[in-house]
Amino acid sequence: MRPPLRIPGITELPPSATGMRIGLFGGSFNPIHAGHLLVMEETLRRLELDALWVLVTPGNPLKDNARLPSLAERVRAARAAIRDPRIRVTGFEAAKGFAYTWQTVRFLTQSLPDRHFVWIMGADSLADFHRWERWRDIAAALPIAVYVRPGAGRRALASRAAATLDHAQIDEAFAPTLARRPAPAWVYLQGRQSALSSSRIRAERTP
């Protein structure tokens, strides 16, 4: 656990209602870019979600966070970039002291059991999913939507996590049903792609 960090207007949980289908899209968003927005748009539409929560993490346990901008900066930048009112940006994980995705997933599914949550990730994340803390628990707690990323498709579909969860994959034609399916269940979504990445943008900005 991290020390809790509560910032008014930044770390509150978005409002929701019983029965809502809600996508959870987590990351550092350092910075947010058009590729992120494309994934949000496509998953909202193809999963037929009622809302999508962008979970801006205090820091990625698998990355060097030494030069990471403040949580408030990244939340505000993401909010400024998003126009769809169904998409809400929050840094609520910091207020709970969460360091890992499994903590976030456990909290949301237990405290809001009458919502239908779906975890959203890029194919590059699926390729490394087996490195996430308690990744099997995440897959057992809620459905997962994996969106194609340039150059990551083959590695993702040949990954340890994909092989382990092979029995739970559904055809993308049934993507609209994912949110209401019992876990484990996941779908691999093909579609429009963006070559942008946060690391590439940061590298181009560095003198």
Side-chain angles (χ1 to χ4, degrees):
M1 297 286 284
R2 304 174 186 272
L5 174 65
R6 293 179 176 83
I7 308 171
I10 298 295
T11 56
E12 293 83 4
L13 202 60
S16 61
T18 298
M20 286 182 68
R21 291 165 294 184
I22 303 171
L24 305 173
F25 188 31
S28 301
F29 299 100
N30 178 32
I32 193 167
H33 55 70
H36 294 135
L37 300 179
L38 185 153
V39 172
M40 294 177 206
E41 293 168 6
E42 288 294 300
T43 52
L44 263 171
R45 179 177 64 84
R46 295 176 63 182
L47 301 178
E48 296 185 3
L49 300 174
D50 300 304
L52 189 150
W53 294 354
V54 178
L55 309 179
V56 181
T57 179
N60 187 329
L62 297 178
K63 296 181 180 179
D64 180 4
N65 300 303
R67 301 179 66 181
L68 189 66
S70 74
L71 177 67
E73 286 180 76
R74 289 178 287 123
V75 168
R76 292 188 183 107
R79 287 174 178 170
I82 292 167
R83 297 289 177 264
D84 193 320
R86 296 172 297 173
I87 303 175
R88 305 296 290 268
V89 183
T90 176
F92 99 95
E93 290 169 306
K96 299 295 182 182
F98 295 159
Y100 298 103
T101 297
W102 70 264
Q103 296 171 311
T104 300
V105 167
R106 183 178 65 177
F107 171 79
L108 290 174
T109 55
Q110 290 183 357
S111 62
L112 297 169
D114 52 2
R115 276 63 161 173
H116 302 284
F117 291 110
V118 176
W119 189 263
I120 296 168
M121 67 169 72
D124 51 336
S125 293
L126 178 63
D128 295 323
F129 190 37
H130 64 279
R131 297 177 59 207
W132 292 26
E133 188 87 6
R134 295 175 61 166
W135 66 275
R136 294 174 187 270
D137 291 343
I138 299 170
L142 80 177
I144 297 172
V146 180
Y147 196 83
V148 64
R149 287 275 295 158
R154 181 173 297 179
R155 191 165 65 94
L157 294 175
S159 68
R160 178 178 167 186
T164 301
L165 299 171
D166 179 67
H167 67 285
Q169 185 177 5
I170 67 170
D171 189 278
E172 61 182 317
F174 300 109
T177 71
L178 183 67
R180 295 187 182 274
R181 287 177 179 259
W186 68 286
V187 66
Y188 187 84
L189 296 174
Q190 302 277 0
R192 295 185 297 141
Q193 299 180 48
S194 169
L196 288 174
S197 72
S198 295
S199 56
R200 177 180 171 184
I201 292 172
R202 290 195 304 272
E204 291 174 349
R205 289 178 178 177
T206 303

